[in-house]
Amino acid sequence: MSDAVRIVEVGPRDGLQNEPNPVASKDKIELINQLAACGLTHIEATSFVNPRWVPQLADAGAVMDGIRRSAGVTYSVLVPNLKGMQAALQHAADEVAVFAAASEAFSQKNINCSIEESFARFAPIVDLAQENAIPVRGYVSTITDCPYAGAVAPQAVVEVVERLLDLGCYEVSLGDTLGKAKPDQIESLLELLLKRVPAQALAGHFHDTSGQALDNIELCLAAGLRTFDASIGGLGGCPYAPGAQGNVATEAVCQAMADWGFETGVDLERLTQVSVFARQIVSAQQD
Ligand code: HMG
Ligand code: MG
């Protein structure tokens, strides 16, 4: 099995969407440029969502227009509906991500519709993406626990993953939105999922509230997954998942991969410097 691991850097999106202090567009742009210079090949740069819901990313267009596009780097964005997809095209996103949930309650709080309705919104996104040869990635949130409804049945996750793949997503990222998933929960979820979908079609997206994200990633690696989302400096969380901490830090994941003998292609020394910059820009307003 391959020892190459792909890291999807989600800090500029998942990290910055939850910051209480405003971050200047020019700092976001600089962060994204610096991340690309570390050798990260996939950067989720922002979201084209309703700015009243996520004011932190209201400058999505300006950020996409302002970044320096490095060859070989995919700059992706989150889109909840056709309006977001149209904006993504207008601002030259290389890839888009749609985001569903395995919990009805989370779907309602996060995107103001049921799981069924969310798939009706995704269909025209995928059509337009395919017309423009834009790959579509999928997310399934709340893979073990929902902040509003408690425990989530693994079968509900499997159903959403299969629907996202059937819709045309090339990969589905498994979102531990609260960051509280225990390794035994991840192990049994993977066992169920891998009976239905190949490991290459799955990615791990672990927030790190309980400090078990790296343990969960190690389990995913053993099960054959080779794509992991991470956020520089461990920034962020979801505004609609109260109490959740940021994604596992990119620098921690890349260090762990090196320790475990996996290749990420990322310059760790440079990444550590960028994590300092990332923390500076989110705390700049507090000084
Ligand atoms: P809604 O209010 O139901 O939408 O929101 P609507 O269709 O009724 O439209 C209402 C207004 O929003 C209209 O404007 C639309 O034009 C506007 P008005 O006429 O009132 O002036 N609007 C938009 N504006 C800009 N861009 C758009 C857009 N769509 C509508 N794309 C909606 C529905 C989905 C838009 C809203 O609920 C929303 O934006 N939600 C986003 C929530 C979000 O971003 N959450 C965080 C990301 S998910 C996450 O973090 C989890 C993840 O990391 C994985 C994990 O950890 O589990 C991915
Ligand atoms: Mg997330």
Side-chain angles (χ1 to χ4, degrees), residues 150-216:
V152 173
Q155 194 50 45
V157 181
V158 176
E159 272 168 37
V160 173
V161 168
E162 287 195 297
R163 283 187 79 170
L164 286 167
L165 292 173
D166 289 347
L167 188 73
C169 294
Y170 74 89
E171 170 180 282
V172 177
S173 184
L174 305 171
D176 174 15
T177 317
L178 280 182
K180 291 183 176 167
K182 295 184 181 67
D184 60 328
Q185 291 176 291
I186 295 300
E187 205 163 23
S188 42
L189 175 62
L190 286 175
E191 208 180 297
L192 204 61
L193 269 170
L194 292 173
K195 285 186 187 138
R196 309 293 293 262
V197 299
Q200 306 90 274
L202 298 173
H205 178 101
F206 294 100
H207 287 260
D208 204 14
T209 314
S210 304
Q212 295 193 92
L214 286 177
D215 295 336
N216 289 330

